[in-house]
Amino acid sequence: MSSMIIPVDVVKDKLNNDPEFKLTARFWYCDIRFVVGDDLYFMHIENGKVASFTQGTHGFDPYTINIGGPVEIWEQMVVERPKPFYHDWFAASFHHDFEFGGDLEAAYAYYYAIRRINHMIGEAVREASTARAA
């Protein structure tokens, strides 16, 4: 079990209420798999809205974009001000043990929406860790 947990409901709500994500994700239909160490997460986007974001797998979960890597890399990416090449999933895939793959044509077309997902995951993880520490 990974030591970093993505609060899926919080991330879903943040994205669906975020004007920047709504703008950059409009007309987007996509399934994304996130790999955080040994844990799998699946996000389903329909017409620019996060329809579902779940932790765990049923074994046959569809995805067109795959983003992930070791927990140690994720932990360095979700801090308030990440170091260079930890600030972005694409950059991390070139410089660290991190994967950004799948349908890259679709990923690049909606890259700003993907960056917003990255930002909101980091924000939600930081908020959850602050709440646990309190």
Side-chain angles (χ1 to χ4, degrees):
M1 183 65 124
S2 298
S3 61
M4 191 187 101
I5 304 293
I6 298 174
V8 292
D9 293 333
V10 173
V11 172
K12 178 183 172 189
D13 290 344
K14 282 179 171 291
L15 288 168
N16 286 336
N17 291 303
D18 180 58
E20 187 175 339
F21 180 75
K22 287 180 185 180
L23 179 65
T24 59
R26 67 182 179 208
F27 310 122
W28 191 24
Y29 291 82
C30 185
D31 292 298
I32 305 173
R33 178 177 79 166
F34 297 93
V35 181
V36 181
D38 295 329
D39 293 337
L40 299 176
Y41 295 82
F42 293 88
M43 181 180 286
H44 177 66
I45 299 170
E46 286 188 25
N47 198 21
K49 182 176 180 173
V50 179
S52 65
F53 190 23
T54 58
Q55 180 180 9
T57 181
H58 301 292
F60 298 100
D61 305 277
Y63 63 93
T64 52
I65 297 172
N66 182 57
I67 297 169
V71 174
E72 299 78 30
I73 302 293
W74 278 95
E75 288 172 340
Q76 293 184 63
M77 296 179 81
V78 298
V79 297
E80 182 74 34
R81 297 194 193 286
K83 293 178 183 174
F85 307 117
Y86 288 101
H87 69 287
D88 180 86
W89 291 327
F90 185 68
S93 73
F94 281 102
H95 296 278
H96 305 292
D97 183 19
F98 199 81
E99 184 176 340
F100 182 85
D103 183 358
L104 293 180
E105 186 175 343
Y108 298 150
Y110 286 94
Y111 193 66
Y112 288 101
I114 287 173
R115 287 190 54 132
R116 200 67 186 150
I117 295 169
N118 182 6
H119 176 80
M120 292 300 186
I121 286 176
E123 197 173 89
V125 168
R126 288 190 306 275
E127 288 170 2
S129 65
T130 300
R132 279 193 303 274

